[in-house]
Amino acid sequence: MSNWKLDFFYESAKDENIKKDLDQTVKNVIKVKNEYYQKLSNPELTPEELKKFFEEHDKALEKGLLAIQFAHLNYSRSTINEDAQKLFSLAMDYETKIDMELSFWKPVLLKQSEEKLKELMNSEELKDYKHVIEKLIQSKGHILSEEAERVISALDNSSRSAFGELYGRLTNSYEFQVTIDGQIKEMTGPQVRSLRMNPDKEIRKNAMNEFFNRYEKDKIIIENIYSSIAKHYDTESKLRNFKEPISMRNLANEVDDEIIKTVIDVTTKRTPMVHKYYKWKGEKLGIDMTLADIYAPMSKVNKEYTFEESKKIVLESYYEFDEEVGKIVESFFDEGRIDSEIKKGKRGGAFCSYIIPNYKPFVLMNFTGNMRDVMTLAHELGHGVHGTLSSDQNMWNYHTPLTMAEVASVFGEMLVMDKVLPNLSEDDKQAFIASKIEDMFATMFRQNMFARFEIQSHKMIQENGGANWEELSELYKNELEIMFGDSVKMTEEYKYEWASIPHIFNVPFYVYAYNFANLMVIALYEKYKQEGKSFVPKYKELLRSGGKDSPEKLLEKLGINLKERSFWEKGFDFVERELINKLK
């Protein structure tokens, strides 16, 4: 197993330099504000002055952002540790102060005429910030007054973010008791979820019953947390003059509402392939399928992988793709930038953290030893490759919108799939293909289901002033029925599953990005298979570009048109042709 070495940031969580750096950052941003407040709205603003503002802004933030990242990582590895909680809370307070002081620049710069902004945008001096100004112009109708932007920044840490944090602290503290081989075992959430792949049907059933019913016990808290987050998000979207709540996320993701509607619609209409697959699986396993069985292994003995075996598979996959990419992935292991061990109180799930362009992302996962964990390792390290290569950009262009954030991660999974498949026996190959289909379904149809649930639940909460546990659970149950049809039996506790999805609490309308990226990566991966090594430099250039242009323009260079409905259809055709049709 692997644990983080966070001394890259500070000696320990009690290092006095943490607070010093945060204090200094607040002073730095106040200085930047005082120096540029009048300049940014001055009609005589020069490209050189605006460029200097962008550069001074980055310099002012650097140490503070690293302190905030450290506090987040330190807390994620032990959410029940009181010192970690306090440091994280302190860092979030400082983040709010910093955001408040810097909230001025958009409304102030937007006092310039559109003609002036376009002149600045097209100047040679600001070529590295062209897309920053372009996005500002596009968001003009949604930026509030300086005072209003300051208030929203000030309240964030005690409103939507605070509720998301409460949800995380509550659910990460859960302990579960599951009977295995006649013994009652205490487990964390990730350990219980891994039992969905257990060969024993009763263990799968009991584990998921225990898991979802634990959330149901806190239904009053969770329903109120979710309603409060939705109300806050939707109120902000109305204040910012967005047509629908999801439109606020779409603008941040730099994608048209109509494109997202198309992706959701195309995916929903292709759900019969899910029904077809699970009917096949039920017949193959000789069982009456329930939702607890959708990840059941195809063989009676579940193959397990040590962390070292997983590391070897993932490293070889990335190295065979490209030497530079392989070295980047290996550096995560060598430098202690992966935390994989399961610990009580550790944040569930997996993520890759990178905040400034410094070539040092960090990965968290909960490794239980199944093939899905091998894929998760490949997935998060794909994010790490992206965060490393895009460090070539300045801070303003470093982060991609969510629609592009999953590209390298899903591409990494495809590399591992191609690495593993040829070395398997026919029986193991079939089991692996089935597992990969299920992963694809989880990324495409499942995330689409979550997105549909979010859209409808936010609407319900808006129209009714809130939604209780049963109303939200019935809404989710309806979405489960659309996705799975009559291919599986739905037990009562599964309608509570919505309460266990962190993204819909922490980042409203995030989830469609997974499906969006998965379909896009299928197109990119097919190009790689067709073009071979000549594709690699183009792919790395896409990752190096970070967020310096819109997804549409970056992908146009690779021959992808996001506005064509047929483009999105092709992803499902690939899954059916290359995976489902290869099952016997």
Side-chain angles (χ1 to χ4, degrees):
M1 289 295 185
S2 175
N3 290 286
W4 279 329
K5 294 177 183 174
L6 296 184
D7 54 2
F8 167 78
F9 297 93
Y10 297 98
E11 287 183 8
S12 74
K14 296 185 177 180
D15 193 323
E16 293 179 359
N17 289 315
I18 299 171
K19 188 157 187 314
K20 284 180 184 175
D21 288 344
L22 289 167
D23 282 329
Q24 186 58 52
T25 300
V26 173
K27 291 175 185 175
N28 291 345
V29 296
I30 290 172
K31 183 180 176 184
V32 168
K33 179 181 178 181
N34 291 339
E35 185 175 349
Y36 288 96
Y37 188 94
Q38 298 297 333
K39 289 179 182 178
L40 293 186
S41 60
N42 187 335
E44 303 303 316
L45 176 69
T46 66
E48 291 79 11
E49 286 175 319
L50 184 54
K51 182 182 180 183
K52 195 175 176 192
F53 162 72
F54 288 137
E55 291 172 343
E56 291 294 323
H57 174 282
D58 286 5
K59 191 176 174 184
L61 283 173
E62 190 171 325
K63 282 192 174 181
L65 290 181
L66 285 174
I68 290 167
Q69 184 184 14
F70 171 78
H72 171 254
L73 296 175
N74 184 60
Y75 172 70
S76 294
R77 65 181 176 178
S78 183
T79 63
I80 57 176
N81 180 282
E82 286 190 14
D83 289 336
Q85 290 173 3
K86 287 176 185 175
L87 179 60
F88 181 72
S89 181
L90 177 74
M92 293 306 97
D93 288 342
Y94 272 93
E95 186 174 29
T96 298
K97 291 176 189 175
I98 292 163
D99 287 345
M100 278 175 58
E101 297 302 336
L102 291 177
S103 63
F104 79 96
W105 81 269
K106 286 183 180 179
V108 170
L109 189 53
L110 279 172
K111 290 177 183 177
Q112 299 283 358
S113 68
E114 192 164 324
E115 184 184 357
K116 175 70 173 180
L117 288 172
K118 286 181 177 176
E119 179 189 316
L120 291 164
M121 181 178 75
N122 293 315
S123 65
E124 179 62 23
E125 292 89 342
L126 289 165
K127 64 182 180 182
D128 291 337
Y129 302 95
K130 182 175 182 176
H131 190 50
V132 180
I133 305 169
E134 183 179 42
K135 287 190 292 183
L136 181 67
I137 294 169
Q138 289 169 351
S139 66
K140 188 169 186 178
H142 308 293
I143 301 295
L144 305 177
S145 69
E146 183 193 342
E147 293 77 14
E149 290 291 348
R150 185 177 174 85
V151 168
I152 286 175
S153 294
L155 292 176
D156 182 64
N157 198 32
S158 57
S159 49
R160 190 162 80 228
S161 293
F163 280 114
E165 174 51 32
L166 174 61
Y167 169 82
R169 190 173 292 186
L170 173 71
T171 56
N172 287 330
S173 71
Y174 285 170
E175 294 177 7
F176 304 88
Q177 292 188 331
V178 182
T179 301
I180 299 176
D181 298 330
Q183 290 187 319
I184 296 175
K185 295 190 176 182
E186 283 199 359
M187 292 186 161
T188 64
Q191 287 173 318
V192 176
R193 290 179 73 88
S194 74
L195 292 177
R196 294 175 300 172
M197 282 74 85
N198 192 282
D200 189 312
K201 184 176 175 63
E202 281 303 304
I203 289 176
R204 295 195 297 267
K205 173 188 165 186
N206 294 335
M208 298 322 294
N209 185 276
E210 169 77 10
F211 185 76
F212 293 127
N213 282 321
R214 178 64 188 87
Y215 284 81
E216 198 264 347
K217 287 177 183 175
D218 285 327
K219 64 184 181 181
I220 294 174
I221 300 171
I222 294 175
E223 75 180 37
N224 276 282
I225 288 173
Y226 186 71
S227 283
S228 297
I229 289 169
K231 284 179 183 178
H232 184 276
Y233 185 90
D234 296 354
T235 300
E236 183 179 342
S237 75
K238 281 182 184 175
L239 289 172
R240 294 191 182 280
N241 302 311
F242 283 100
K243 186 178 174 183
E244 299 171 30
I246 196 172
S247 303
M248 185 159 74
R249 180 68 61 204
N250 293 344
L251 180 68
N253 284 342
E254 301 179 57
V255 63
D256 292 342
D257 285 5
E258 288 309 309
I259 290 177
I260 296 307
K261 284 177 181 173
T262 298
V263 175
I264 291 173
D265 183 55
V266 168
T267 307
T268 305
K269 285 182 177 173
R270 296 299 288 263
T271 51
M273 66 194 291
V274 179
H275 311 165
K276 174 185 173 184
Y277 169 77
Y278 281 112
K279 283 177 180 176
W280 170 87
K281 184 170 184 176
E283 290 172 7
K284 187 74 179 171
L285 293 177
I287 62 172
D288 291 327
M289 292 281 288
T290 72
L291 280 169
D293 301 318
I294 61 175
Y295 299 116
M298 297 302 296
S299 56
K300 298 206 174 187
V301 179
N302 234 352
K303 179 164 174 54
E304 299 216 338
Y305 297 83
T306 65
F307 187 74
E308 282 303 311
E309 287 171 335
S310 302
K311 172 183 173 181
K312 184 173 185 291
I313 292 168
V314 171
L315 272 179
E316 286 179 358
S317 301
Y318 277 108
Y319 264 115
E320 285 170 17
F321 175 70
D322 180 70
E323 182 80 12
E324 180 188 11
V325 170
K327 285 179 179 177
I328 290 169
V329 170
E330 191 163 22
S331 69
F332 281 80
F333 296 97
D334 294 344
E335 297 173 11
R337 289 190 280 123
I338 301 174
D339 197 301
S340 63
E341 188 177 354
I342 290 179
K343 299 179 279 273
K344 182 180 174 182
K346 181 179 174 180
R347 176 180 157 164
F351 66 77
C352 180
S353 168
Y354 47 95
I355 194 164
I356 66 171
N358 66 348
Y359 302 91
K360 298 291 181 187
F362 281 72
V363 163
L364 176 141
M365 67 176 295
N366 289 272
F367 188 84
T368 61
N370 56 50
M371 176 49 79
R372 279 191 173 81
D373 289 337
V374 181
M375 288 297 185
T376 297
L377 183 61
H379 180 102
E380 297 306 334
L381 286 167
H383 281 305
V385 170
H386 203 165
T388 303
L389 290 176
S390 63
S391 291
D392 289 358
Q393 300 296 323
N394 58 51
M395 201 182 291
W396 294 87
N397 294 331
Y398 181 44
H399 290 280
T400 66
L402 294 177
T403 38
M404 294 294 287
E406 297 297 329
V407 168
S409 54
V410 179
F411 197 92
E413 289 186 57
M414 302 283 274
L415 290 172
V416 170
M417 181 178 75
D418 269 2
K419 172 72 178 172
V420 170
L421 262 177
N423 302 316
L424 299 177
S425 67
E426 281 306 309
D427 284 347
D428 286 345
K429 191 174 289 188
Q430 181 166 269
F432 182 79
I433 290 173
S435 174
K436 191 57 192 169
I437 289 168
E438 290 158 19
D439 287 341
M440 289 277 195
F441 284 177
T443 306
M444 297 155 80
F445 293 103
R446 185 175 163 81
Q447 301 299 332
N448 191 65
M449 177 177 70
F450 295 163
R452 283 170 53 92
F453 169 78
E454 275 195 281
I455 291 166
Q456 293 172 85
S457 61
H458 278 242
K459 186 177 180 182
M460 178 189 285
I461 290 164
Q462 275 186 57
E463 292 176 351
N464 302 333
N468 65 34
W469 178 264
E470 280 305 318
E471 288 169 333
L472 291 166
S473 299
E474 285 300 316
L475 189 62
Y476 188 76
K477 180 182 177 183
N478 183 58
E479 287 304 316
L480 284 169
E481 288 170 349
I482 291 170
M483 177 171 168
F484 292 99
D486 63 353
S487 64
V488 300
K489 181 184 174 185
M490 191 184 310
T491 49
E492 188 70 8
E493 70 275 4
Y494 259 86
K495 68 181 184 181
Y496 307 144
E497 185 179 31
W498 66 271
S500 69
I501 305 161
H503 283 321
I504 67 174
F505 291 85
N506 296 321
V507 192
F509 301 108
Y510 179 111
V511 289
Y512 74 70
Y514 287 106
N515 184 29
F516 187 103
N518 201 74
L519 292 167
M520 195 161 50
V521 169
I522 288 171
L524 289 172
Y525 203 75
E526 284 201 282
K527 282 182 176 292
Y528 167 53
K529 300 296 281 183
Q530 291 161 6
E531 298 175 19
K533 288 297 181 182
S534 65
F535 173 83
V536 176
K538 290 184 278 187
Y539 174 73
K540 289 200 292 185
E541 181 56 34
L542 175 68
L543 301 190
R544 280 198 169 92
S545 297
K548 77 171 184 180
D549 215 333
S550 69
E552 219 169 312
K553 288 179 183 174
L554 289 174
L555 290 163
E556 271 176 11
K557 296 175 184 176
L558 291 163
I560 290 174
N561 184 352
L562 298 179
K563 290 182 177 174
E564 289 181 354
R565 186 182 179 92
S566 60
F567 165 74
W568 302 106
E569 294 276 8
K570 285 175 185 174
F572 296 99
D573 294 340
F574 171 89
V575 175
E576 196 137 26
R577 182 183 70 248
E578 298 296 327
L579 296 172
I580 292 177
N581 290 347
K582 289 184 178 177
L583 291 172
K584 295 177 184 176

